[in-house]
Amino acid sequence: MSIKSQAGFAYQAVYRYLSALIDAGEPGVPFRLPSLRSLATRLGVSVSTIQTSYTLLEREGRVYAIAKSGYYARPPARAKRPQDGGDLLQRIQTEQRRLVPLLELDVPLLKLERQAQKQYATLPGPAWHPTGDPELRTALAARYTQGTRHRWNAGHVYLGGDLRGLLDITFEALALAGEPVVVVSPCCPLVLQALRLAGAMIIELPLNDAGRLNLATLQEHLHTLPVRLMVMDAGFSSVHGTRMPDADLSTLSTLLNHHDVWLLENDVQGALGFEPCRYLRDSLPAYRTLVVGSLEPWLGGEAPFAYLLTAGAGQPLEAAFQRRALRLPPLRQKALARLLEQGWLDEQLPYLRMQLQQQLWRIDRQVRARLGRHLLAIHPVGGTGLWLRSRYPLDMRKVFERLLSEGQVVEPGPLFSAHGLHERYVRINGLGVDSEALETLLAALGDAMAQERKALEVTGN
């Protein structure tokens, strides 16, 4: 059996095949899935393609890996999932399961992988490293090296199968259970999930509509609590779409340096700023800085790998990766290293940023024109979405429920909070939304807000 001729990438066809296999299992009873190599032979694809599909399913919680044993399926229970309640992030991910890479780099990536395969056909295969292939780690370190003050090398880079898995390993190594962690909010939901799982005490500092923090409140927290770590986006808020003023960043770096607080910068979308950004990590010692990023936005399911850069916490991280790291496809890592070294990503980034800027500003104009009486749009300086605030009190989770029933998906503000903040906010993802689909979404959003407002008036709330 071969699936190479099916529509879409090979990993998507394998993903569909495995999904059907899992769904056909006895409800609620785990069972072992075929090995990477046997499945690759059966379906006529590469082992790395099978690994990619398994990684996607693992991230969705549908399969899990056991060391030296393989992958096991978690078949769904027979009972239908209720339409009200449930995990908000999981529901949005279910609705948006199809991965759409920002850049069309699959052709050069697969070409480079074939070249690596030919190279290693006559040589010993590349060795497995628990923290990732040295060539790929070197290429990532080179991208982040800025002058003599911030020099990175392969020993500072750690690779994971995906962002959530990498965060779990990192927070395990940092031993955050019960420790106060300051999080700038709105924050990536995957980061919040990983912090909760690690048992951290999350202290949330919300950005205002101008993208500024209450630095006096932060200073009070740092004076009264043994804060070990601060988490924020790199360059600009990827959810909020705003950039913190340079003066605030200077004050922030002074506070973190004075209190010896580590910084974790989420750089997954840091390269998508529409104008040059200042990074807080550049004002802190490298040994107290952690930077997390992902290759998935650029390459989709072909490379969902995530990475961590840090010059500190070496031994605990090494031990954590030894315990929990999966075997990432070695030839795919080689191909990714060469993709970065040859400049494929950097060549396309300027055009991508221009496209995103035009798209988000177009959505911004349409929101102001159609729903300006109901919503205030935060003008974005980067990222892939538009952050909106209701002009009157509304719980956007309920608006989300109304839209979901009509097949429309938005991201309610509380999704990006650990404590239910941003109730009046909603985010529209600007990726892949054409004019017609946007018109339909905005019309449905306006109707859902009107219905929710009317429901509140009826109940007297």
Side-chain angles (χ1 to χ4, degrees):
M1 173 184 178
S2 175
I3 62 174
K4 289 183 177 179
S5 60
Q6 295 190 23
F9 294 134
Y11 80 88
Q12 294 173 322
V14 175
Y15 173 90
R16 291 191 293 268
Y17 172 83
L18 287 170
S19 294
L21 193 65
I22 294 168
D23 292 341
E26 184 179 349
V29 179
F31 63 92
R32 187 176 180 180
L33 290 164
S35 69
L36 301 181
R37 196 167 299 281
S38 65
L39 196 56
T41 301
R42 184 190 311 174
L43 300 182
V45 297
S46 68
V47 171
S48 63
T49 296
I50 302 296
Q51 176 70 73
T52 296
S53 304
Y54 270 131
T55 299
L56 292 176
L57 290 164
E58 185 176 28
R59 184 181 57 195
E60 294 173 1
R62 303 173 72 193
V63 306
Y64 59 95
I66 297 180
K68 299 182 180 179
S69 180
Y71 283 96
Y72 289 77
R74 288 190 178 99
R78 198 178 298 279
K80 186 178 179 181
R81 177 174 59 84
Q83 292 301 309
D84 53 344
D87 183 80
L88 193 58
L89 176 59
Q90 184 178 358
R91 297 180 68 183
I92 289 176
Q93 288 177 331
T94 299
E95 297 298 324
Q96 298 178 332
R97 180 169 291 169
R98 184 181 302 173
L99 298 174
V100 181
L102 288 171
L103 298 176
E104 296 180 0
L105 293 172
D106 54 293
V107 173
L109 176 64
L110 297 177
K111 180 180 178 181
L112 290 168
E113 186 171 356
R114 286 193 294 270
Q115 291 175 358
Q117 191 171 20
K118 290 179 182 177
Q119 175 186 347
Y120 284 95
T122 56
L123 296 171
W128 175 71
H129 298 270
T131 55
D133 182 82
E135 189 175 346
L136 178 53
R137 292 162 67 200
T138 298
L140 287 167
R143 287 182 57 80
Y144 281 85
T145 295
Q146 301 290 332
T148 57
R149 184 178 179 186
H150 290 275
R151 291 179 295 178
W152 302 94
N153 59 54
H156 298 144
V157 182
Y158 301 81
L159 285 166
D162 58 26
L163 181 60
R164 175 58 195 274
L166 180 97
L167 290 167
D168 286 345
I169 296 172
T170 301
F171 294 154
E172 174 190 316
L174 295 178
L176 295 178
E179 298 290 335
V181 175
V182 172
V183 175
V184 176
S185 174
C187 178
C188 169
L190 291 179
V191 174
L192 294 175
Q193 275 194 341
L195 284 170
R196 289 192 197 99
L197 184 64
M201 185 177 80
I202 301 175
I203 302 167
E204 199 167 355
L205 286 182
L207 294 167
N208 66 19
D209 286 350
R212 305 189 69 174
L213 288 175
N214 187 327
L215 295 174
T217 300
L218 172 61
Q219 187 171 16
E220 182 181 349
H221 287 316
L222 296 181
H223 275 300
T224 57
L225 293 171
V227 176
R228 292 183 52 206
L229 180 70
M230 181 168 183
V231 178
M232 64 183 294
D233 286 342
F236 66 97
S237 170
S238 60
V239 178
H240 205 271
T242 57
R243 183 169 66 89
M244 195 178 296
D246 287 348
D248 288 8
L249 286 173
S250 297
T251 303
L252 192 51
S253 66
T254 299
L255 287 172
L256 297 184
N257 279 317
H258 177 73
H259 292 276
D260 200 30
V261 177
W262 284 55
L263 171 72
L264 185 145
E265 274 197 336
N266 180 3
D267 200 31
V268 171
Q269 291 195 20
L272 297 181
F274 305 150
E275 56 189 41
C277 295
R278 176 181 170 184
Y279 299 100
L280 182 57
R281 62 177 180 260
D282 294 337
S283 303
L284 299 176
Y287 68 85
R288 283 198 290 106
T289 302
L290 303 104
V291 182
V292 294
S294 174
L295 296 169
E296 183 177 15
W298 322 116
L299 293 149
E302 292 290 340
F305 311 146
Y307 55 87
L308 166 73
L309 285 89
T310 181
Q315 184 56 42
L317 279 172
E318 291 279 353
F321 273 85
Q322 288 279 359
R323 287 192 301 270
R324 298 185 55 178
L326 292 174
R327 290 181 178 266
L328 305 182
L331 294 179
R332 179 58 53 89
Q333 291 184 78
K334 294 288 186 186
L336 286 167
R338 295 165 195 187
L339 189 82
L340 295 175
E341 291 164 354
Q342 294 177 20
W344 286 92
L345 177 59
D346 291 327
E347 286 177 5
Q348 294 196 34
L349 273 176
Y351 179 64
L352 171 64
R353 285 191 286 259
M354 182 181 69
Q355 282 187 312
L356 286 172
Q357 184 181 49
Q358 292 174 349
Q359 170 77 336
L360 293 185
W361 289 7
R362 179 176 65 85
I363 297 174
D364 187 353
R365 290 192 299 270
Q366 289 187 249
V367 167
R368 293 171 191 268
R370 291 191 55 118
L371 300 175
R373 292 178 301 165
H374 309 291
L375 289 167
L376 172 67
I378 310 299
H379 195 63
V381 300
T384 60
L386 191 65
W387 187 245
L388 308 166
R389 176 171 62 84
S390 171
R391 292 186 182 274
Y392 37 81
L394 276 185
D395 185 348
M396 283 300 180
R397 285 169 294 197
K398 295 182 179 179
V399 173
F400 160 78
E401 297 283 353
R402 293 181 183 275
L403 286 171
L404 194 61
S405 67
E406 300 179 17
Q408 299 290 339
V409 180
V410 294
E411 298 166 343
L415 174 68
F416 306 98
S417 167
H419 302 114
L421 303 182
H422 318 302
E423 188 179 75
R424 290 172 61 172
Y425 291 82
V426 66
R427 182 177 183 270
I428 295 178
N429 194 326
L431 297 178
V433 181
D434 59 28
S435 297
E436 183 176 351
L438 179 61
E439 286 290 331
T440 303
L441 174 61
L442 293 183
L445 177 57
D447 290 343
M449 291 181 66
Q451 292 169 15
E452 184 57 29
R453 192 177 184 187
K454 185 175 181 180
L456 288 174
E457 290 173 353
V458 170
T459 59
N461 293 328

